[in-house]
Amino acid sequence: MIGATLKSNPETEKFRRSPATVMTLARMGSAHPTRLSFLRHLLRRMTGGDWRFERSVWQMDDKGVGRAVYRAIGPERTYSLVAFAHDLPPEMRSDRVIATAWDATFTLFDGTPDAADLDRLEANVPLQEAGRISPRELSLSRANRSVRLFSHVVECLAAGQQPDIAEIDAVGYLMRTTAVYGSGKFGASDYALVADRAELSIPFQAEMLSVWLTRQFTIDIVEHMARVRGGDAAVPLDSAIKHALGVGNSTGLGMAPYLVRHPVLLNNWMMAREEALARVRAQPDATPDAVAGLKAAVQAARENAAYWRSEHPIQIGKLSALRNDLETVDTHLSAWPMTEDHPWDALWTWGEGTLSLEGQEALLAAMLEPHGELVDDLCSGMSANETASFAIDGTMKVGTLRRVLEDRYDWALCIDFADPANCARFWYVSEEKLEPRLGNRNTEFGQDLEQPLCTGRLAQELHVALADWNEEQLVAEFLLANPDQRYMTRRAQRCGTYPYSEVRDNLIADTTLPIDLMRCKLAFFGASRFDPRSDKWVRISLFQDQVYPSDLNWRVVQ
Amino acid sequence: MTQTPNDPTMSGSPVETVAGGALSCAEIEALSLKAARGAGLSWGMAEEAGYAATWLEVRGLDGASTLLALLDLYGDGDLASLSPDVDDRIWRAKGAHLCPLAAGTALSDFRGLGQADIASGPLSITNVAHPLLLLPFVHALANATGTAVHLTSEGDTCSVDPTGAVWGDIAACSDRRDLTLSSEAVPQDPVTPSKTACIIDKDTLRRLQDYALRTTVPASDASRAGAGAATTDND
């Protein structure tokens, strides 16, 4: 268990940021992808030389309707992205989870599908939530075209020309996924069944592989449509333009509660990242290679920030601060390192005192970048078995539980929940789509069906319920008399063991921004160009500027 | 919804939400949790229901249908007083009969403590409804003691060892029972699964889904707007 390992490392512990610093919504909502992100981990494995790739099926008609199979063939196992392309009328195209039709639908198959598998999948995958997949499948997803850019690219390529770079930069992707379902969803394999495979032991590797292969599909389908239209005049997409394209992703509220519902997983992600930063800061000196690597990473971050666009007022402000911060960092680095002891720690301490939260988290990502050998092994601690910590410890004394609350939920115990502003919202699940939503407590129906995401208020209620109990009494006795406190008792005990497991902010305040939770999760995925379209849904990009399978050991089966 | 000749949602044969195949553990756990919450259990106890139903289903035991039967009892208001009276060597219901989730979680909570000590002598748990649902929690007890725990009732014995394997005759856990828990070794054969793991019959599934739907809020214009886009998302 990562927590146990890390606690026994006094060398780095003194450099580690506290949960009180890290686990606030404002800072989680400023998270940047790092080299520990799941997408980066996947690419390290895929580009390591052990894997080859092929497009084994391409049955596509002149309307771009048909199916394709992409295989990732590893040393032990093969995974196949099965793609179904559709001809979607414009009026049906929507990124909302309430959509019922998409431009393309996908599943990641465990192995190589035969014709019967493909027929079974064709009867189900295009239906998405209304269909049914099996334990042979590891993910279920769909994507819509960026209508504007897709059409532009098809027209240009068909005419033998390359698309306008300004158009490419303005959008950044040909297609965007609108949901990528994984572990156990709609009949897919439970994660526990495949978690012992090296290539899937880090979280979200199947989902990331599926999106990476989807990125290849988006290029192949746009070139296919260009050939249909232009015939011999059509040209393939220029390599540099191709690399500037990622896969977009559009994500709504459904993702927001995930980190609250998987506390041990959240802890392990945060703990890995924080230990990585601590290891970098704990180094007594800075090698020339690492200094050069840092400066290159800061330059890359500056370029990324220059292309990163948003129309959301909050994100516009944060982006402006980020660009200024990165310039400040750049200037600071011209005279760094001096002869100081522990130069990385000095750099970090300077950044903490100088930069906005966006800038600090960007600096963190840049500081990890040249330190693969020092930190990449931490990825192995980022998965979690939530079941292992499910059972409540009834032998814990009431006094101990109370101290956990006072230590790790101090932020919650001081909130005045009688103030309507502090409980203005409530999380619920919609009957229509069985998706999480956030309602206004004063004006919307359904607060009696509130989901237990109001962790701060629940912690305070538990603290009140414990008030009359003697320090020496046992949690088992307390729960026998207070079965309703079981939920929060479990959370609090977990937080006692896993200090980064709880978001230390009120999730039902009028000021709560659900996009902060999404930003944090998406950064751990490796998403860039975070672009909120409201405080409840965002667009991001995945795999932008990264390699394609077709850049590696690749073949197309004719 | 407009149907057009190119409507991709119509490109396959009609498929029911669940076509009679196995559910994933994630689905069973989520459905059981929501159903239990929909039937009125607290969130923490509903989590235990999800855990217990899944634990049974992966072993080919009737987790989902037994949970459904228990939730139906809740509907009757029969298990209003949840927690057992935990006295020396004998646990009793406060109401007409004892909820197996309440008794089970108490067994798990008191593992290693005198109240659930079965090493120094048998422990009686009386009048338990649907005692099959006790087994996942008996597993926790077996884990804590490091030895198999035996449930005996009306001459039938069923055991759970520390690895979570189930032995003996599952009849010991049927219906409503007075049970004795002990760590005395009784030689037994592996239990015969009563069904195929994780396949839940359609009626049970539908009725659990009905309970689960009670946790959801009907759609309104406000809730649809609250899900995300207020502007066009099609560009």
Side-chain angles (χ1 to χ4, degrees):
Chain A
M1 184 58 63
I2 190 169
T5 316
L6 298 183
K7 271 175 197 154
S8 64
N9 190 348
E11 282 303 304
T12 57
E13 188 162 3
K14 65 181 173 188
F15 294 103
R16 210 181 299 152
R17 297 191 292 180
S18 75
T21 300
V22 174
M23 301 306 296
T24 63
L25 278 179
R27 193 177 287 274
M28 292 172 77
S30 300
H32 286 250
T34 72
R35 61 177 300 126
L36 300 183
S37 296
F38 307 134
L39 172 164
R40 297 284 303 279
H41 181 82
L42 174 86
L43 288 177
R44 282 196 289 276
R45 184 177 298 277
M46 293 293 124
T47 57
D50 291 341
W51 289 71
R52 57 193 178 87
F53 309 92
E54 66 179 33
R55 195 179 81 192
S56 55
V57 174
W58 184 263
Q59 300 166 353
M60 216 58 70
D61 70 12
D62 286 355
K63 285 183 171 169
V65 176
R67 60 193 186 184
V69 176
Y70 294 83
R71 298 170 73 212
I73 303 153
E76 288 183 70
R77 280 171 287 265
T78 294
Y79 299 90
S80 302
L81 180 78
V82 181
F84 299 100
H86 312 291
D87 183 15
L88 182 64
E91 70 272 16
M92 291 185 72
R93 186 175 293 106
S94 169
D95 286 4
R96 303 284 299 278
V97 74
I98 52 182
T100 53
W102 303 270
D103 285 318
T105 52
F106 308 89
T107 187
L108 188 71
F109 185 85
D110 187 4
T112 301
D114 61 21
D117 290 319
L118 290 181
D119 289 344
R120 171 176 63 82
L121 294 170
E122 187 155 9
N124 286 281
V125 170
L127 303 179
Q128 295 283 295
E129 293 95 333
R132 192 73 190 156
I133 52 175
S134 81
R136 295 299 306 276
E137 285 81 55
L138 300 170
S139 75
L140 180 70
S141 58
R142 65 287 191 105
N144 281 336
R145 294 173 185 172
S146 166
V147 177
R148 187 178 54 166
L149 188 61
F150 197 94
S151 307
H152 173 70
V153 174
V154 169
E155 279 166 26
C156 290
L157 296 181
Q161 295 164 352
Q162 291 300 324
D164 181 357
I165 296 291
E167 295 276 337
I168 296 280
D169 290 343
V171 179
Y173 52 80
L174 293 168
M175 298 184 86
R176 56 181 175 268
T177 56
T178 69
V180 182
Y181 295 110
S183 171
K185 294 281 170 54
F186 309 107
S189 172
D190 280 303
Y191 181 64
L193 299 177
V194 295
D196 61 344
R197 302 179 185 182
E199 66 271 19
L200 299 181
S201 61
I202 311 299
F204 291 102
Q205 294 300 286
E207 292 88 338
M208 290 296 121
L209 176 59
S210 140
V211 174
W212 186 52
L213 296 172
T214 295
R215 181 172 173 239
Q216 182 73 51
F217 167 83
T218 68
I219 301 298
D220 290 356
I221 188 78
V222 86
E223 290 183 345
H224 172 88
M225 296 310 289
R227 274 194 307 275
V228 167
R229 185 167 312 179
D232 290 343
V235 292
L237 193 56
D238 171 77
S239 174
I241 294 175
K242 204 172 123 177
H243 282 84
L245 292 167
V247 175
N249 177 273
S250 191
T251 297
L253 264 185
M255 178 181 273
Y258 182 91
L259 295 179
V260 185
R261 288 185 175 149
H262 297 84
V264 183
L265 196 62
L266 174 61
N267 176 81
N268 291 357
W269 295 4
M270 288 292 185
M271 198 90 163
R273 191 190 69 188
E274 294 308 309
E275 173 63 10
L277 174 63
R279 283 184 185 176
V280 171
R281 290 171 63 188
Q283 297 174 108
D285 46 34
T287 65
D289 280 355
V291 172
L294 171 69
K295 289 180 177 175
V298 170
Q299 281 313 317
R302 290 190 70 177
E303 281 172 34
N304 182 61
Y307 284 112
W308 183 350
R309 303 215 164 75
S310 177
E311 290 172 16
H312 195 274
I314 293 175
Q315 191 60 30
I316 288 172
K318 290 174 76 169
L319 276 175
S320 166
L322 176 66
R323 291 181 189 121
N324 288 337
D325 283 345
L326 288 170
E327 195 180 331
T328 306
V329 171
D330 212 9
T331 307
H332 183 76
L333 289 183
S334 61
W336 179 91
M338 307 286 273
T339 53
E340 73 265 54
D341 188 29
H342 286 86
W344 296 98
D345 185 51
L347 173 61
W348 179 257
T349 307
W350 165 84
E352 270 193 321
T354 310
L355 308 173
S356 71
L357 294 183
E358 276 277 355
Q360 290 177 41
E361 299 305 305
L363 177 61
L364 184 161
M367 284 171 64
L368 299 198
E369 201 54 40
H371 289 106
E373 283 186 23
L374 187 65
V375 304
D376 285 352
D377 66 305
L378 289 164
C379 284
S380 66
M382 293 175 88
S383 57
N385 177 356
E386 303 271 350
T387 311
S389 62
F390 178 75
I392 286 175
D393 176 10
T395 66
M396 179 185 272
K397 289 182 177 170
V398 161
T400 307
L401 180 58
R402 188 179 288 141
R403 276 187 291 284
V404 168
L405 285 168
E406 287 162 4
D407 177 39
R408 308 232 153 139
Y409 294 85
D410 54 333
W411 57 271
L413 301 186
C414 59
I415 296 173
D416 176 13
F417 286 104
D419 179 348
N422 289 330
C423 52
R425 297 176 142 192
F426 70 102
W427 294 86
Y428 65 93
V429 173
S430 79
E431 180 183 314
E432 187 175 46
K433 263 297 188 178
L434 306 180
E435 280 282 320
R437 289 182 183 171
L438 190 56
N440 183 322
R441 198 178 297 277
N442 289 325
T443 58
E444 280 177 60
F445 167 78
Q447 65 166 305
D448 53 326
L449 295 166
E450 183 167 6
Q451 293 283 309
L453 296 168
C454 44
T455 45
R457 193 175 63 186
L458 294 171
Q460 197 175 93
E461 287 170 3
L462 175 59
H463 193 251
V464 169
L466 287 167
D468 295 335
W469 286 70
N470 185 300
E471 292 274 300
E472 295 298 312
Q473 285 179 288
L474 301 176
V475 165
E477 298 169 301
F478 169 74
L479 289 177
L480 199 61
N482 297 276
D484 288 354
Q485 294 295 339
R486 212 169 170 79
Y487 176 84
M488 193 59 220
T489 299
R490 188 182 341 266
R491 286 197 81 89
Q493 285 195 339
R494 273 176 164 156
C495 196
T497 308
Y498 301 97
Y500 296 89
S501 65
E502 197 79 271
V503 179
R504 299 192 181 201
D505 254 318
N506 181 10
L507 299 177
I508 54 170
D510 56 353
T511 52
T512 301
L513 293 174
I515 49 174
D516 287 339
L517 292 168
M518 297 181 221
R519 168 87 180 255
C520 179
K521 189 185 181 203
L522 289 164
F524 275 100
F525 281 8
S528 55
R529 312 275 169 93
F530 184 83
D531 179 13
R533 296 304 179 98
S534 79
D535 62 353
K536 298 192 186 76
W537 76 286
V538 306
R539 289 254 179 91
I540 49 120
S541 180
L542 291 164
F543 293 103
Q544 204 155 20
D545 302 321
Q546 306 285 355
V547 297
Y548 283 85
S550 57
D551 299 327
L552 302 169
N553 187 349
W554 163 260
R555 71 171 189 142
V556 173
V557 179
Q558 299 298 334
Chain B
M1 188 183 78
T2 319
Q3 287 186 10
T4 70
N6 291 322
D7 178 357
T9 64
M10 302 305 288
S11 63
S13 55
V15 179
E16 295 191 50
T17 302
V18 172
L23 271 68
S24 69
C25 290
E27 288 173 311
I28 294 172
E29 183 162 6
L31 174 63
S32 302
L33 187 161
K34 289 175 196 164
R37 176 64 182 169
L41 273 71
S42 72
W43 281 110
M45 201 58 87
E47 287 179 320
E48 305 281 358
Y51 161 74
T54 310
W55 190 97
L56 292 164
E57 284 290 335
V58 297
R59 288 164 174 79
L61 302 171
D62 288 314
S65 61
T66 308
L67 177 65
L68 176 64
L70 179 71
L71 299 184
D72 286 342
L73 269 184
Y74 275 94
D76 298 340
D78 214 357
L79 295 163
S81 312
L82 256 181
S83 299
D85 273 328
V86 176
D87 291 333
D88 190 30
R89 298 281 126 219
I90 181 154
W91 291 20
R92 291 187 184 82
K94 285 174 178 154
H97 43 215
L98 188 50
C99 168
L101 297 173
T105 52
L107 271 179
S108 173
D109 291 351
F110 281 105
R111 66 193 188 277
L113 298 169
Q115 289 89 335
D117 171 28
I118 52 166
S120 55
L123 173 70
S124 289
I125 303 184
T126 61
N127 205 17
V128 187
H130 305 292
L132 187 68
L133 287 163
L134 275 180
L135 292 184
F137 305 102
V138 169
H139 178 197
L141 195 58
N143 242 331
T145 59
T147 58
V149 175
H150 309 287
L151 289 84
T152 306
S153 174
E154 299 172 20
D156 300 319
T157 298
C158 169
S159 311
V160 184
D161 73 19
T163 71
V166 186
W167 305 80
D169 189 350
I170 206 69
C173 297
S174 59
D175 306 327
R176 184 181 309 177
R177 296 266 176 154
D178 292 339
L179 293 155
T180 302
L181 270 63
S182 70
S183 59
E184 238 173 89
V186 185
Q188 290 176 342
D189 296 322
V191 74
T192 308
S194 46
K195 60 194 281 292
T196 309
C198 301
I199 288 194
I200 296 173
D201 70 79
K202 280 188 177 177
D203 188 53
T204 301
L205 198 59
R206 183 185 55 76
R207 298 207 44 234
L208 284 172
Q209 283 168 341
D210 287 345
Y211 274 118
L213 270 181
R214 294 188 194 174
T215 65
T216 64
V217 177
S220 64
D221 289 344
S223 78
R224 288 196 186 104
T231 55
T232 177
D233 58 357
N234 185 13
D235 56 5

